[in-house]
Amino acid sequence: MMTLADIAALAEVSESTASRALRDNPVVNKETRLKVQQIAQQYQFNVNPTARSLRTQKSYTIAVIILFDAKSQQAISDPFLLEILGVIADELTHKGYDMLLSTSKTKDKDWKTYYIDAKRADGLIIIGQGEHDQRIEQLSHSKVPFVVWGASSGHDSFTVVGSQNRSGAEAAVSHLIAQGCTHIAFLGDYRHNEIEQRYLGYQDALQKAGLALNADYELITDFTAQDGYLKTQQQLFPLLPELDGIFAASDAIALGAMKALQEHGVQVPQQLAVAGFDDIAMSAYCSPALTTVKQDTINGGKLLVSKLLQQMDGEQAESELLPVRLLTRQSSARG
Amino acid sequence: MMTLADIAALAEVSESTASRALRDNPVVNKETRLKVQQIAQQYQFNVNPTARSLRTQKSYTIAVIILFDAKSQQAISDPFLLEILGVIADELTHKGYDMLLSTSKTKDKDWKTYYIDAKRADGLIIIGQGEHDQRIEQLSHSKVPFVVWGASSGHDSFTVVGSQNRSGAEAAVSHLIAQGCTHIAFLGDYRHNEIEQRYLGYQDALQKAGLALNADYELITDFTAQDGYLKTQQQLFPLLPELDGIFAASDAIALGAMKALQEHGVQVPQQLAVAGFDDIAMSAYCSPALTTVKQDTINGGKLLVSKLLQQMDGEQAESELLPVRLLTRQSSARG
DNA sequence: AATCTTTTTGCAAACGATTGCAAAAGTTGT
DNA sequence: ACAACTTTTGCAATCGTTTGCAAAAAGATT
């Protein structure tokens, strides 16, 4: 392995000069710079990031923390997660950062101590705030640069990037209403921040249409197809003659619900229309294809990264909610 | 931030002693050791991993590289991926390692140089070997500790952990045959290592049952539901009166195919039975529920990690293929 | 009490970069 | 030819640990 000293020797300059030359510091003579760079290239030299890290106190690494729900041990919508993770990874690589991934199952190290103080990472991206999280709140009182994917309360003390869950949900439910639904159930766990927004959007739509809210129609449901299936059987079947629409807080839930309905002989969408949220890969290919709301994962990932880097540069970064898109498919096509 | 020097001072010992004490080196007096440890605890001291790294030339970090298919830019079976990633993350954390994640879109840095030589990581886990990969082959000629998730050729020059794709596929197809199917199509891209094994298993089953192989029944299909849908429409519909079974190399493909069939008025499983591979979350909740083969993600992840650590300890680690489980559901239930 | 072991400790040299500061070299002006 | 700058270089300290080796302390042996 070559070290900076070797390169310096080869170029017949001091280590200091070599170091500066490599980083293209204009204080060193242009010719010298080029010579050093050329030699470094030729010998395939790369600075040792550990040594650099130690000296500069920066790691050029970002930690991405995926929060799992304490109870269900499940992250929000798996497929969505992998997508945004991919985007973040690409984006970070592109900016010259490495990505440390941690899937936090609650009981966990103290992020600030472990990542920032220990210089394992220069900043944090936290995905899925779930229910109001103590630790995130705490972080915001420190100087740690971090961004969160989730729901904005409108006056957060930290930077949030997320989807316009509320208006997205409203659009979906309004669409159901436009299709003639008048008794629409909500499936999802509104104790979860993002889902709460979707729940509010659901209410917005009902209210705008002058439809009554009905507590019987609001089912707390985990993120899984399984729970969507079960809750539908247990709590929606009794309401069936009247119930004519379901808005599920995630596609997984929606698919579970549809399964239950189909087994029970309910015609979707004729007797009952269904809409979900996420547009997971399967949604277009189940029967009937699922009407859903698609999040802008690509811009989401990009924004998370750029806002984090902004913070690391000492700038302020505002929260931002991205527009979503309603995709109407067969599951809501009544007449 | 506390440094080792501070702790040493507080404990009234030298840094050397403090360092040894913290790592519980028996060469230092037990009392001294405890005293130092106690003080470190009290002041919440943690050794600086960067400094330690620089000195010891180890990073206590493992790089996980996810390979994407050059063409489709898609990784094998997304849901599966996220699962195994989670297991690996947990396992590594548990062993005191951090996890660097990289999603490699082909044109990429040289893994050895970037991760190992630069001391960013002590070992590599590569997920999804795809088509025969030049870079993996190359790695095996170096001293780099690494393991691969994928298909074993039986005489690999490196450590592979994977599923018994071949026998799993055979089981699935044999099941279809047992259900009375005699004309079974294969959907998947057998240029991909793992899929090739599934393809061979498909052939095994046909041969054992004395059924003829038929090139018309073998469709090269991407990993997506979309492609399953398209290929089915384009290439299977013409064969329909006779065709009575489909074995898809992934659940996503299977679901796409089922969608096409249903739209075309084909009854699944009565007219045509379907089986997939992966048991993605949706498979149990689509209609009809999909018969599929479930991989042992948990043990897969654990094995990857333990075999890698084994290698890092200088031991040899053998390749290993894990048993899979056939889950029979409605999509193949022909009476 | 002197010598020989065995435990414990600490000194000092790494590990491989970056950077403040001063010195050396090169320019310009007079 | 000398002073006064400006540009370019290199010395040496620093980042926070770990570890080989020798010295100091403690214990055992005669």
Side-chain angles (χ1 to χ4, degrees), chain A residues 189-217:
Chain A
D189 188 343
Y190 36 70
R191 289 168 306 194
H192 184 292
N193 273 312
E194 291 179 75
I195 306 304
E196 182 189 17
Q197 294 301 312
R198 296 178 194 171
Y199 172 65
L200 292 173
Y202 158 81
Q203 289 194 329
D204 292 347
L206 294 188
Q207 264 159 4
K208 279 197 189 163
L211 295 174
L213 298 177
N214 183 338
D216 289 346
Y217 287 171

Tab-separated table of all heavy atoms in Angstrom, chain A residues 189-217:
chain	number	residue	atom	x	y	z
A	189	ASP	N	-53.121	2.687	11.244
A	189	ASP	CA	-52.852	3.011	12.638
A	189	ASP	C	-52.516	4.487	12.778
A	189	ASP	O	-51.400	4.905	12.508
A	189	ASP	CB	-51.690	2.153	13.146
A	189	ASP	CG	-51.517	2.321	14.639
A	189	ASP	OD1	-52.059	3.302	15.207
A	189	ASP	OD2	-50.855	1.458	15.252
A	190	TYR	N	-53.481	5.277	13.189
A	190	TYR	CA	-53.254	6.721	13.199
A	190	TYR	C	-52.403	7.188	14.372
A	190	TYR	O	-52.211	8.375	14.561
A	190	TYR	CB	-54.555	7.524	13.127
A	190	TYR	CG	-55.714	6.918	13.854
A	190	TYR	CD1	-55.742	6.879	15.235
A	190	TYR	CD2	-56.790	6.403	13.127
A	190	TYR	CE1	-56.832	6.317	15.881
A	190	TYR	CE2	-57.868	5.843	13.772
A	190	TYR	CZ	-57.889	5.803	15.148
A	190	TYR	OH	-58.953	5.253	15.805
A	191	ARG	N	-51.902	6.260	15.125
A	191	ARG	CA	-50.936	6.669	16.139
A	191	ARG	C	-49.577	6.883	15.494
A	191	ARG	O	-48.671	7.459	16.056
A	191	ARG	CB	-50.835	5.600	17.230
A	191	ARG	CG	-52.092	5.564	18.089
A	191	ARG	CD	-52.103	4.341	18.945
A	191	ARG	NE	-51.940	3.132	18.131
A	191	ARG	CZ	-52.181	1.907	18.589
A	191	ARG	NH1	-52.581	1.726	19.833
A	191	ARG	NH2	-52.000	0.873	17.810
A	192	HIS	N	-49.485	6.393	14.283
A	192	HIS	CA	-48.267	6.598	13.514
A	192	HIS	C	-48.393	7.927	12.780
A	192	HIS	O	-49.371	8.200	12.105
A	192	HIS	CB	-48.135	5.448	12.513
A	192	HIS	CG	-46.875	5.472	11.722
A	192	HIS	ND1	-46.611	6.432	10.794
A	192	HIS	CD2	-45.794	4.666	11.740
A	192	HIS	CE1	-45.430	6.214	10.263
A	192	HIS	NE2	-44.912	5.150	10.823
A	193	ASN	N	-47.367	8.756	12.919
A	193	ASN	CA	-47.409	10.105	12.370
A	193	ASN	C	-47.914	10.237	10.943
A	193	ASN	O	-48.815	11.022	10.666
A	193	ASN	CB	-46.015	10.715	12.422
A	193	ASN	CG	-45.753	11.391	13.740
A	193	ASN	OD1	-46.595	12.173	14.212
A	193	ASN	ND2	-44.626	11.108	14.343
A	194	GLU	N	-47.286	9.496	10.062
A	194	GLU	CA	-47.678	9.660	8.661
A	194	GLU	C	-49.105	9.194	8.436
A	194	GLU	O	-49.861	9.796	7.676
A	194	GLU	CB	-46.731	8.873	7.747
A	194	GLU	CG	-45.337	9.462	7.713
A	194	GLU	CD	-44.413	8.657	6.829
A	194	GLU	OE1	-44.526	8.763	5.593
A	194	GLU	OE2	-43.558	7.914	7.365
A	195	ILE	N	-49.447	8.103	9.100
A	195	ILE	CA	-50.794	7.573	8.926
A	195	ILE	C	-51.829	8.532	9.499
A	195	ILE	O	-52.922	8.699	8.938
A	195	ILE	CB	-50.923	6.201	9.631
A	195	ILE	CG1	-49.834	5.257	9.149
A	195	ILE	CG2	-52.300	5.612	9.363
A	195	ILE	CD1	-49.790	5.050	7.669
A	196	GLU	N	-51.443	9.204	10.540
A	196	GLU	CA	-52.361	10.193	11.107
A	196	GLU	C	-52.742	11.223	10.045
A	196	GLU	O	-53.906	11.608	9.921
A	196	GLU	CB	-51.706	10.887	12.306
A	196	GLU	CG	-52.636	11.899	12.962
A	196	GLU	CD	-51.922	12.749	14.001
A	196	GLU	OE1	-50.661	12.770	13.984
A	196	GLU	OE2	-52.608	13.388	14.809
A	197	GLN	N	-51.747	11.650	9.288
A	197	GLN	CA	-52.020	12.616	8.233
A	197	GLN	C	-52.989	12.034	7.209
A	197	GLN	O	-53.887	12.720	6.723
A	197	GLN	CB	-50.718	13.023	7.538
A	197	GLN	CG	-49.756	13.790	8.435
A	197	GLN	CD	-50.371	15.065	8.967
A	197	GLN	OE1	-50.960	15.837	8.197
A	197	GLN	NE2	-50.263	15.300	10.272
A	198	ARG	N	-52.781	10.786	6.894
A	198	ARG	CA	-53.672	10.161	5.906
A	198	ARG	C	-55.089	10.062	6.485
A	198	ARG	O	-56.072	10.228	5.786
A	198	ARG	CB	-53.137	8.766	5.523
A	198	ARG	CG	-51.777	8.874	4.833
A	198	ARG	CD	-51.162	7.542	4.461
A	198	ARG	NE	-49.739	7.764	4.135
A	198	ARG	CZ	-48.839	6.811	3.927
A	198	ARG	NH1	-49.207	5.533	3.979
A	198	ARG	NH2	-47.574	7.108	3.650
A	199	TYR	N	-55.107	9.834	7.746
A	199	TYR	CA	-56.400	9.751	8.424
A	199	TYR	C	-57.106	11.103	8.380
A	199	TYR	O	-58.308	11.200	8.086
A	199	TYR	CB	-56.180	9.307	9.870
A	199	TYR	CG	-57.401	9.376	10.724
A	199	TYR	CD1	-58.504	8.557	10.461
A	199	TYR	CD2	-57.472	10.262	11.799
A	199	TYR	CE1	-59.640	8.637	11.252
A	199	TYR	CE2	-58.600	10.341	12.590
A	199	TYR	CZ	-59.686	9.529	12.312
A	199	TYR	OH	-60.808	9.604	13.081
A	200	LEU	N	-56.348	12.150	8.617
A	200	LEU	CA	-56.941	13.486	8.576
A	200	LEU	C	-57.444	13.808	7.177
A	200	LEU	O	-58.504	14.411	7.006
A	200	LEU	CB	-55.919	14.532	9.032
A	200	LEU	CG	-55.560	14.424	10.524
A	200	LEU	CD1	-54.420	15.385	10.875
A	200	LEU	CD2	-56.787	14.717	11.393
A	201	GLY	N	-56.671	13.374	6.188
A	201	GLY	CA	-57.087	13.603	4.806
A	201	GLY	C	-58.395	12.878	4.516
A	201	GLY	O	-59.279	13.400	3.809
A	202	TYR	N	-58.510	11.713	5.052
A	202	TYR	CA	-59.748	10.931	4.927
A	202	TYR	C	-60.919	11.718	5.496
A	202	TYR	O	-61.957	11.903	4.858
A	202	TYR	CB	-59.525	9.603	5.656
A	202	TYR	CG	-60.748	8.852	6.126
A	202	TYR	CD1	-61.491	8.054	5.245
A	202	TYR	CD2	-61.132	8.894	7.459
A	202	TYR	CE1	-62.587	7.327	5.699
A	202	TYR	CE2	-62.216	8.171	7.924
A	202	TYR	CZ	-62.954	7.394	7.040
A	202	TYR	OH	-64.017	6.676	7.495
A	203	GLN	N	-60.706	12.248	6.685
A	203	GLN	CA	-61.767	13.047	7.308
A	203	GLN	C	-62.092	14.284	6.469
A	203	GLN	O	-63.254	14.627	6.261
A	203	GLN	CB	-61.330	13.482	8.698
A	203	GLN	CG	-61.285	12.339	9.697
A	203	GLN	CD	-61.186	12.835	11.134
A	203	GLN	OE1	-60.599	13.884	11.392
A	203	GLN	NE2	-61.766	12.083	12.055
A	204	ASP	N	-61.030	14.952	6.005
A	204	ASP	CA	-61.240	16.144	5.172
A	204	ASP	C	-62.198	15.846	4.034
A	204	ASP	O	-63.137	16.608	3.769
A	204	ASP	CB	-59.912	16.605	4.562
A	204	ASP	CG	-58.956	17.146	5.614
A	204	ASP	OD1	-59.389	17.395	6.758
A	204	ASP	OD2	-57.755	17.299	5.291
A	205	ALA	N	-61.922	14.745	3.367
A	205	ALA	CA	-62.727	14.406	2.187
A	205	ALA	C	-64.183	14.167	2.576
A	205	ALA	O	-65.106	14.658	1.910
A	205	ALA	CB	-62.145	13.169	1.500
A	206	LEU	N	-64.364	13.415	3.648
A	206	LEU	CA	-65.736	13.151	4.078
A	206	LEU	C	-66.450	14.461	4.391
A	206	LEU	O	-67.594	14.688	3.970
A	206	LEU	CB	-65.742	12.252	5.312
A	206	LEU	CG	-65.218	10.822	5.144
A	206	LEU	CD1	-65.470	10.012	6.408
A	206	LEU	CD2	-65.884	10.142	3.944
A	207	GLN	N	-65.769	15.286	5.147
A	207	GLN	CA	-66.394	16.541	5.536
A	207	GLN	C	-66.756	17.402	4.335
A	207	GLN	O	-67.853	17.931	4.242
A	207	GLN	CB	-65.486	17.313	6.491
A	207	GLN	CG	-65.880	17.063	7.939
A	207	GLN	CD	-64.767	17.365	8.913
A	207	GLN	OE1	-63.706	17.837	8.519
A	207	GLN	NE2	-65.015	17.098	10.190
A	208	LYS	N	-65.817	17.526	3.430
A	208	LYS	CA	-66.083	18.341	2.247
A	208	LYS	C	-67.307	17.832	1.501
A	208	LYS	O	-68.046	18.596	0.893
A	208	LYS	CB	-64.890	18.323	1.297
A	208	LYS	CG	-63.803	19.300	1.726
A	208	LYS	CD	-62.837	19.574	0.592
A	208	LYS	CE	-61.658	20.371	1.147
A	208	LYS	NZ	-60.498	20.357	0.265
A	209	ALA	N	-67.492	16.539	1.539
A	209	ALA	CA	-68.618	15.954	0.821
A	209	ALA	C	-69.880	15.939	1.674
A	209	ALA	O	-70.935	15.481	1.234
A	209	ALA	CB	-68.268	14.535	0.389
A	210	GLY	N	-69.731	16.410	2.888
A	210	GLY	CA	-70.897	16.427	3.768
A	210	GLY	C	-71.292	15.057	4.271
A	210	GLY	O	-72.422	14.835	4.690
A	211	LEU	N	-70.341	14.131	4.252
A	211	LEU	CA	-70.632	12.798	4.770
A	211	LEU	C	-70.293	12.736	6.253
A	211	LEU	O	-69.361	13.383	6.718
A	211	LEU	CB	-69.824	11.735	4.021
A	211	LEU	CG	-70.165	11.584	2.536
A	211	LEU	CD1	-69.196	10.619	1.861
A	211	LEU	CD2	-71.601	11.093	2.385
A	212	ALA	N	-71.039	11.930	6.983
A	212	ALA	CA	-70.816	11.833	8.429
A	212	ALA	C	-69.598	10.982	8.743
A	212	ALA	O	-69.312	10.007	8.057
A	212	ALA	CB	-72.048	11.225	9.094
A	213	LEU	N	-68.859	11.379	9.796
A	213	LEU	CA	-67.790	10.535	10.292
A	213	LEU	C	-68.433	9.472	11.162
A	213	LEU	O	-69.432	9.728	11.829
A	213	LEU	CB	-66.815	11.354	11.146
A	213	LEU	CG	-66.108	12.485	10.418
A	213	LEU	CD1	-65.220	13.267	11.383
A	213	LEU	CD2	-65.293	11.934	9.271
A	214	ASN	N	-67.848	8.302	11.129
A	214	ASN	CA	-68.442	7.229	11.901
A	214	ASN	C	-67.321	6.407	12.519
A	214	ASN	O	-66.524	5.788	11.809
A	214	ASN	CB	-69.288	6.361	10.962
A	214	ASN	CG	-69.983	5.257	11.735
A	214	ASN	OD1	-69.564	4.881	12.829
A	214	ASN	ND2	-71.041	4.736	11.158
A	215	ALA	N	-67.233	6.442	13.833
A	215	ALA	CA	-66.134	5.784	14.534
A	215	ALA	C	-66.050	4.292	14.205
A	215	ALA	O	-64.982	3.701	14.210
A	215	ALA	CB	-66.264	5.969	16.035
A	216	ASP	N	-67.168	3.680	13.896
A	216	ASP	CA	-67.156	2.258	13.558
A	216	ASP	C	-66.369	1.984	12.283
A	216	ASP	O	-65.931	0.879	12.044
A	216	ASP	CB	-68.589	1.758	13.333
A	216	ASP	CG	-69.356	1.693	14.642
A	216	ASP	OD1	-68.686	1.785	15.705
A	216	ASP	OD2	-70.582	1.558	14.591
A	217	TYR	N	-66.218	3.004	11.493
A	217	TYR	CA	-65.547	2.836	10.211
A	217	TYR	C	-64.037	3.062	10.296
A	217	TYR	O	-63.342	3.006	9.292
A	217	TYR	CB	-66.134	3.801	9.188
A	217	TYR	CG	-67.519	3.417	8.720
A	217	TYR	CD1	-68.269	4.273	7.929
A	217	TYR	CD2	-68.068	2.178	9.060
A	217	TYR	CE1	-69.536	3.935	7.481
A	217	TYR	CE2	-69.341	1.823	8.633
A	217	TYR	CZ	-70.067	2.708	7.845
A	217	TYR	OH	-71.308	2.353	7.411
